[in-house]
Amino acid sequence: MAVCEALGRRGVGVLCVDREQELAEKAAKAVATAGGIGEACVADVSIEGDVLSYAAACQELWGNANFFFNNAGIEGVDAPLASFPVEEWDRVMAVNLRGVFLGLKAMYPLLRHGETPRIVNTASVAGMIATPMLSAYGASKHAVIGLTKTAAVEYAAQGIAVNALCPGPVESEMMRRIERGLGDMQAAKSQYEAMIPASRYAKLEEVAAMAVFLLLDSPMYLTGQAIALDGGLSIS
Ligand SMILES: NC(=O)c1ccc[n+]([C@@H]2O[C@H](COP(=O)([O-])OP(=O)(O)OC[C@H]3O[C@@H](n4cnc5c(N)ncnc54)[C@H](O)[C@@H]3O)[C@@H](O)[C@H]2O)c1
Protein backbone atom coordinates (compact mmCIF):
# COMPACT_ATOMS: atom_id res chain seq x y z
CA MET A 1 0.00 0.00 0.00
CA ALA A 2 2.86 2.37 0.81
CA VAL A 3 4.30 1.77 -2.67
CA CYS A 4 0.89 2.51 -4.24
CA GLU A 5 0.69 5.81 -2.37
CA ALA A 6 4.25 6.72 -3.36
CA LEU A 7 3.56 5.88 -7.02
CA GLY A 8 0.32 7.86 -6.85
CA ARG A 9 2.26 10.90 -5.64
CA ARG A 10 4.25 10.65 -8.88
CA GLY A 11 1.02 10.90 -10.86
CA VAL A 12 1.44 7.64 -12.76
CA GLY A 13 -1.20 5.07 -13.73
CA VAL A 14 -1.09 1.83 -11.74
CA LEU A 15 -3.06 -1.37 -12.22
CA CYS A 16 -3.14 -2.85 -8.71
CA VAL A 17 -3.36 -6.65 -8.75
CA ASP A 18 -4.32 -8.71 -5.72
CA ARG A 19 -6.07 -12.02 -5.27
CA GLU A 20 -8.47 -10.26 -2.89
CA GLN A 21 -10.81 -7.76 -4.51
CA GLU A 22 -11.02 -5.57 -1.43
CA LEU A 23 -7.23 -5.23 -1.27
CA ALA A 24 -6.87 -4.55 -5.01
CA GLU A 25 -9.50 -1.82 -4.73
CA LYS A 26 -7.92 -0.36 -1.59
CA ALA A 27 -4.57 -0.16 -3.37
CA ALA A 28 -6.12 1.47 -6.44
CA LYS A 29 -7.84 4.01 -4.18
CA ALA A 30 -4.51 4.76 -2.48
CA VAL A 31 -2.94 5.51 -5.87
CA ALA A 32 -5.84 7.77 -6.87
CA THR A 33 -6.01 9.59 -3.53
CA ALA A 34 -2.29 10.37 -3.78
CA GLY A 35 -2.73 11.86 -7.24
CA GLY A 36 -2.22 9.00 -9.71
CA ILE A 37 -4.59 6.85 -11.76
CA GLY A 38 -5.47 3.72 -9.80
CA GLU A 39 -7.14 0.69 -11.36
CA ALA A 40 -7.89 -2.61 -9.66
CA CYS A 41 -7.63 -6.15 -10.96
CA VAL A 42 -8.30 -9.40 -9.13
CA ALA A 43 -5.86 -12.16 -10.02
CA ASP A 44 -3.99 -15.00 -8.38
CA VAL A 45 -0.39 -14.57 -9.53
CA SER A 46 0.26 -18.31 -9.32
CA ILE A 47 -2.38 -19.05 -12.00
CA GLU A 48 -1.24 -18.50 -15.59
CA GLY A 49 -4.70 -17.51 -16.87
CA ASP A 50 -5.05 -14.88 -14.14
CA VAL A 51 -1.62 -13.43 -14.92
CA LEU A 52 -2.44 -13.28 -18.64
CA SER A 53 -5.65 -11.45 -17.78
CA TYR A 54 -3.95 -8.79 -15.64
CA ALA A 55 -1.47 -8.23 -18.47
CA ALA A 56 -4.40 -7.97 -20.92
CA ALA A 57 -6.17 -5.51 -18.60
CA CYS A 58 -3.02 -3.38 -18.48
CA GLN A 59 -2.74 -3.47 -22.27
CA GLU A 60 -6.36 -2.42 -22.63
CA LEU A 61 -5.84 0.49 -20.24
CA TRP A 62 -2.53 1.86 -21.47
CA GLY A 63 -1.35 -0.16 -24.48
CA ASN A 64 2.04 -0.80 -22.90
CA ALA A 65 3.83 -0.61 -19.56
CA ASN A 66 6.69 1.56 -18.33
CA PHE A 67 7.19 -0.30 -15.08
CA PHE A 68 6.19 -3.58 -13.46
CA PHE A 69 6.35 -4.27 -9.73
CA ASN A 70 6.33 -8.06 -9.41
CA ASN A 71 5.65 -7.97 -5.70
CA ALA A 72 3.09 -10.50 -4.43
CA GLY A 73 4.56 -12.93 -1.94
CA ILE A 74 3.66 -15.09 1.02
CA GLU A 75 5.83 -16.27 3.89
CA GLY A 76 4.30 -19.70 4.56
CA VAL A 77 4.31 -21.34 7.96
CA ASP A 78 7.21 -21.20 10.43
CA ALA A 79 8.52 -24.77 10.68
CA PRO A 80 11.87 -26.56 10.79
CA LEU A 81 13.09 -27.83 7.42
CA ALA A 82 13.08 -31.44 8.62
CA SER A 83 9.34 -31.30 9.21
CA PHE A 84 8.35 -28.59 6.74
CA PRO A 85 4.99 -29.55 5.15
CA VAL A 86 5.38 -30.41 1.46
CA GLU A 87 2.07 -28.79 0.51
CA GLU A 88 3.22 -25.58 2.19
CA TRP A 89 6.48 -25.72 0.22
CA ASP A 90 4.45 -25.97 -3.01
CA ARG A 91 2.11 -23.14 -2.00
CA VAL A 92 4.98 -20.74 -1.22
CA MET A 93 6.86 -21.63 -4.40
CA ALA A 94 3.69 -21.21 -6.48
CA VAL A 95 3.17 -17.61 -5.37
CA ASN A 96 6.72 -16.40 -4.78
CA LEU A 97 8.51 -18.05 -7.70
CA ARG A 98 5.94 -19.25 -10.26
CA GLY A 99 4.06 -15.96 -9.82
CA VAL A 100 7.20 -13.92 -10.51
CA PHE A 101 8.08 -16.10 -13.52
CA LEU A 102 4.57 -15.86 -14.99
CA GLY A 103 4.57 -12.09 -14.50
CA LEU A 104 7.95 -11.69 -16.21
CA LYS A 105 6.61 -13.66 -19.20
CA ALA A 106 3.20 -12.03 -19.49
CA MET A 107 4.36 -8.43 -19.05
CA TYR A 108 7.29 -8.67 -21.47
CA PRO A 109 5.31 -7.72 -24.62
CA LEU A 110 3.96 -4.62 -22.89
CA LEU A 111 7.27 -3.55 -21.38
CA ARG A 112 9.24 -3.91 -24.57
CA HIS A 113 7.06 -1.13 -25.99
CA GLY A 114 7.42 1.04 -22.88
CA GLU A 115 9.53 4.21 -22.94
CA THR A 116 11.78 3.51 -19.95
CA PRO A 117 10.76 0.00 -18.97
CA ARG A 118 11.85 -1.14 -15.54
CA ILE A 119 10.92 -4.31 -13.68
CA VAL A 120 11.34 -4.79 -9.95
CA ASN A 121 10.92 -8.28 -8.59
CA THR A 122 10.45 -8.25 -4.84
CA ALA A 123 12.88 -10.76 -3.36
CA SER A 124 14.09 -10.31 0.22
CA VAL A 125 17.21 -10.41 2.33
CA ALA A 126 15.95 -13.99 2.75
CA GLY A 127 17.25 -14.47 -0.82
CA MET A 128 20.76 -13.64 0.38
CA ILE A 129 21.17 -15.28 3.77
CA ALA A 130 19.81 -18.30 5.65
CA THR A 131 16.23 -18.18 6.92
CA PRO A 132 15.81 -20.73 9.70
CA MET A 133 12.16 -21.89 10.06
CA LEU A 134 11.24 -20.38 6.66
CA SER A 135 12.95 -22.75 4.23
CA ALA A 136 10.46 -22.40 1.37
CA TYR A 137 10.40 -18.63 1.69
CA GLY A 138 14.20 -18.38 1.69
CA ALA A 139 14.57 -20.78 -1.22
CA SER A 140 11.90 -18.97 -3.26
CA LYS A 141 13.58 -15.61 -2.71
CA HIS A 142 17.03 -16.96 -3.65
CA ALA A 143 15.39 -18.24 -6.84
CA VAL A 144 13.77 -14.86 -7.53
CA ILE A 145 17.24 -13.28 -7.46
CA GLY A 146 18.48 -15.92 -9.91
CA LEU A 147 15.51 -15.37 -12.19
CA THR A 148 16.06 -11.60 -12.02
CA LYS A 149 19.59 -12.05 -13.36
CA THR A 150 18.40 -14.20 -16.27
CA ALA A 151 15.58 -11.77 -17.10
CA ALA A 152 18.02 -8.84 -16.95
CA VAL A 153 20.32 -10.50 -19.48
CA GLU A 154 17.55 -11.71 -21.80
CA TYR A 155 15.58 -8.44 -21.71
CA ALA A 156 18.59 -6.10 -21.98
CA ALA A 157 18.41 -6.06 -25.78
CA GLN A 158 14.91 -4.55 -25.50
CA GLY A 159 16.20 -1.88 -23.10
CA ILE A 160 14.33 -3.31 -20.11
CA ALA A 161 16.03 -3.00 -16.72
CA VAL A 162 15.28 -5.79 -14.25
CA ASN A 163 16.32 -5.67 -10.60
CA ALA A 164 15.42 -7.44 -7.37
CA LEU A 165 14.52 -5.44 -4.29
CA CYS A 166 15.62 -7.26 -1.15
CA PRO A 167 14.20 -5.76 2.01
CA GLY A 168 15.15 -7.05 5.41
CA PRO A 169 12.38 -7.35 8.01
CA VAL A 170 9.86 -4.54 7.54
CA GLU A 171 7.38 -3.13 10.11
CA SER A 172 4.52 -4.98 8.44
CA GLU A 173 1.75 -7.50 8.91
CA MET A 174 3.96 -10.16 7.34
CA MET A 175 6.55 -9.77 10.09
CA ARG A 176 3.84 -9.83 12.76
CA ARG A 177 2.63 -13.17 11.33
CA ILE A 178 6.18 -14.58 11.25
CA GLU A 179 6.83 -13.42 14.83
CA ARG A 180 3.53 -14.94 15.96
CA GLY A 181 4.43 -18.22 14.28
CA LEU A 182 7.66 -18.34 16.30
CA GLY A 183 5.73 -18.22 19.59
CA ASP A 184 6.78 -15.23 21.70
CA MET A 185 6.29 -12.27 19.34
CA GLN A 186 8.36 -9.75 21.32
CA ALA A 187 11.23 -12.21 21.78
CA ALA A 188 11.17 -13.07 18.06
CA LYS A 189 11.28 -9.39 17.11
CA SER A 190 14.13 -8.70 19.53
CA GLN A 191 16.05 -11.64 18.09
CA TYR A 192 15.65 -10.33 14.53
CA GLU A 193 16.57 -6.79 15.58
CA ALA A 194 19.70 -8.05 17.33
CA MET A 195 20.88 -9.48 13.98
CA ILE A 196 20.42 -6.15 12.16
CA PRO A 197 23.30 -3.65 12.48
CA ALA A 198 20.79 -0.76 12.35
CA SER A 199 18.98 -2.49 15.26
CA ARG A 200 15.54 -2.00 13.76
CA TYR A 201 13.18 -3.14 11.02
CA ALA A 202 12.73 -1.11 7.83
CA LYS A 203 9.90 1.40 7.73
CA LEU A 204 7.25 0.96 5.03
CA GLU A 205 8.11 4.42 3.66
CA GLU A 206 11.74 3.35 3.24
CA VAL A 207 10.72 0.33 1.16
CA ALA A 208 8.31 2.48 -0.85
CA ALA A 209 11.00 5.07 -1.57
CA MET A 210 13.41 2.39 -2.81
CA ALA A 211 10.72 0.66 -4.90
CA VAL A 212 9.73 3.92 -6.57
CA PHE A 213 13.37 4.78 -7.25
CA LEU A 214 13.93 1.40 -8.92
CA LEU A 215 10.62 1.58 -10.83
CA LEU A 216 10.79 5.17 -12.06
CA ASP A 217 14.13 6.85 -11.47
CA SER A 218 17.09 4.48 -11.48
CA PRO A 219 19.63 4.67 -14.32
CA MET A 220 18.59 2.25 -17.09
CA TYR A 221 22.15 0.92 -16.86
CA LEU A 222 21.33 -0.52 -13.43
CA THR A 223 20.12 -4.03 -14.18
CA GLY A 224 20.36 -7.57 -12.88
CA GLN A 225 21.10 -6.44 -9.34
CA ALA A 226 19.82 -7.71 -6.02
CA ILE A 227 19.56 -4.54 -3.94
CA ALA A 228 19.43 -5.06 -0.20
CA LEU A 229 17.49 -2.59 1.93
CA ASP A 230 18.23 -4.22 5.22
CA GLY A 231 20.02 -1.98 7.73
CA GLY A 232 23.21 -3.93 7.00
CA LEU A 233 21.83 -7.39 7.81
CA SER A 234 23.13 -9.12 4.69
CA ILE A 235 26.69 -7.82 5.09
CA SER A 236 27.12 -8.40 8.80
N1 LIG B 1 7.12 -7.64 5.14
C1 LIG B 1 8.41 -7.89 5.14
O1 LIG B 1 9.08 -7.83 6.18
C2 LIG B 1 9.10 -8.27 3.86
C3 LIG B 1 10.50 -8.34 3.85
C4 LIG B 1 11.14 -8.69 2.67
C5 LIG B 1 10.40 -8.95 1.54
N2 LIG B 1 9.04 -8.88 1.58
C6 LIG B 1 8.31 -9.19 0.35
O2 LIG B 1 7.55 -8.06 -0.02
C7 LIG B 1 6.42 -8.49 -0.77
C8 LIG B 1 5.18 -7.86 -0.20
O3 LIG B 1 5.06 -8.28 1.14
P1 LIG B 1 4.14 -7.52 2.21
O4 LIG B 1 4.91 -7.32 3.44
O5 LIG B 1 3.48 -6.35 1.57
O6 LIG B 1 3.08 -8.68 2.49
P2 LIG B 1 1.54 -8.62 2.71
O7 LIG B 1 1.12 -9.96 3.19
O8 LIG B 1 1.17 -7.40 3.51
O9 LIG B 1 1.00 -8.36 1.24
C9 LIG B 1 1.09 -9.32 0.24
C10 LIG B 1 -0.07 -9.11 -0.70
O10 LIG B 1 0.03 -10.09 -1.71
C11 LIG B 1 -1.28 -10.60 -1.93
N3 LIG B 1 -1.16 -11.96 -2.43
C12 LIG B 1 -0.74 -13.05 -1.74
N4 LIG B 1 -0.79 -14.13 -2.53
C13 LIG B 1 -1.25 -13.70 -3.75
C14 LIG B 1 -1.51 -14.35 -4.97
N5 LIG B 1 -1.35 -15.66 -5.12
N6 LIG B 1 -1.96 -13.61 -6.00
C15 LIG B 1 -2.16 -12.27 -5.85
N7 LIG B 1 -1.93 -11.61 -4.72
C16 LIG B 1 -1.47 -12.32 -3.68
C17 LIG B 1 -1.96 -10.55 -0.58
O11 LIG B 1 -3.37 -10.56 -0.71
C18 LIG B 1 -1.43 -9.25 -0.01
O12 LIG B 1 -2.24 -8.15 -0.34
C19 LIG B 1 6.43 -10.02 -0.72
O13 LIG B 1 6.99 -10.54 -1.89
C20 LIG B 1 7.31 -10.31 0.47
O14 LIG B 1 7.90 -11.57 0.40
C21 LIG B 1 8.38 -8.53 2.70
Side-chain angles (χ1 to χ4, degrees):
M1 210 60 67
V3 177
C4 292
E5 282 167 13
L7 285 169
R9 284 195 291 276
R10 296 291 296 271
V12 294
V14 187
L15 178 65
C16 303
V17 177
D18 203 289
R19 67 180 166 185
E20 291 186 36
Q21 183 159 1
E22 200 187 326
L23 293 173
E25 282 170 4
K26 203 170 155 198
K29 200 169 168 203
V31 173
T33 306
I37 301 165
E39 300 283 348
C41 180
V42 177
D44 183 329
V45 301
S46 65
I47 298 173
E48 186 180 17
D50 282 21
V51 174
L52 291 171
S53 34
Y54 80 61
C58 185
Q59 185 155 31
E60 198 160 309
L61 280 164
W62 294 298
N64 58 31
N66 281 324
F67 59 87
F68 173 42
F69 190 34
N70 211 355
N71 177 58
I74 57 173
E75 69 278 14
V77 296
D78 300 67
L81 171 57
S83 56
F84 199 83
V86 174
E87 59 281 7
E88 191 63 4
W89 174 275
D90 291 341
R91 193 174 73 92
V92 172
M93 286 296 169
V95 179
N96 294 11
L97 183 54
R98 192 168 198 263
V100 168
F101 159 70
L102 291 173
L104 286 169
K105 264 186 87 173
M107 290 300 290
Y108 173 74
L110 282 81
L111 286 153
R112 65 191 287 257
H113 293 116
E115 279 167 32
T116 47
R118 297 178 178 89
I119 299 173
V120 174
N121 297 321
T122 305
S124 166
V125 73
M128 299 171 150
I129 61 175
T131 48
M133 305 292 283
L134 291 168
S135 51
Y137 186 75
S140 70
K141 296 301 188 178
H142 274 77
V144 167
I145 292 173
L147 190 56
T148 298
K149 292 176 185 173
T150 297
V153 171
E154 291 194 9
Y155 292 2
Q158 305 298 330
I160 304 171
V162 192
N163 292 293
L165 175 55
C166 304
V170 183
E171 290 294 356
S172 63
E173 279 310 306
M174 181 179 279
M175 283 313 298
R176 298 294 93 82
R177 291 193 299 267
I178 291 172
E179 290 157 4
R180 201 172 301 121
L182 292 170
D184 181 338
M185 286 180 76
Q186 193 48 55
K189 186 173 191 203
S190 301
Q191 237 175 340
Y192 278 124
E193 283 173 340
M195 292 160 59
I196 303 169
S199 306
R200 65 167 178 87
Y201 288 7
K203 297 174 191 165
L204 285 169
E205 313 87 79
E206 291 173 319
V207 179
M210 184 55 90
V212 170
F213 170 72
L214 292 171
L215 289 167
L216 300 183
D217 300 321
S218 58
M220 296 306 293
Y221 206 57
L222 179 75
T223 196
Q225 301 306 304
I227 295 150
L229 182 75
D230 65 350
L233 175 56
S234 58
I235 45 114
S236 60

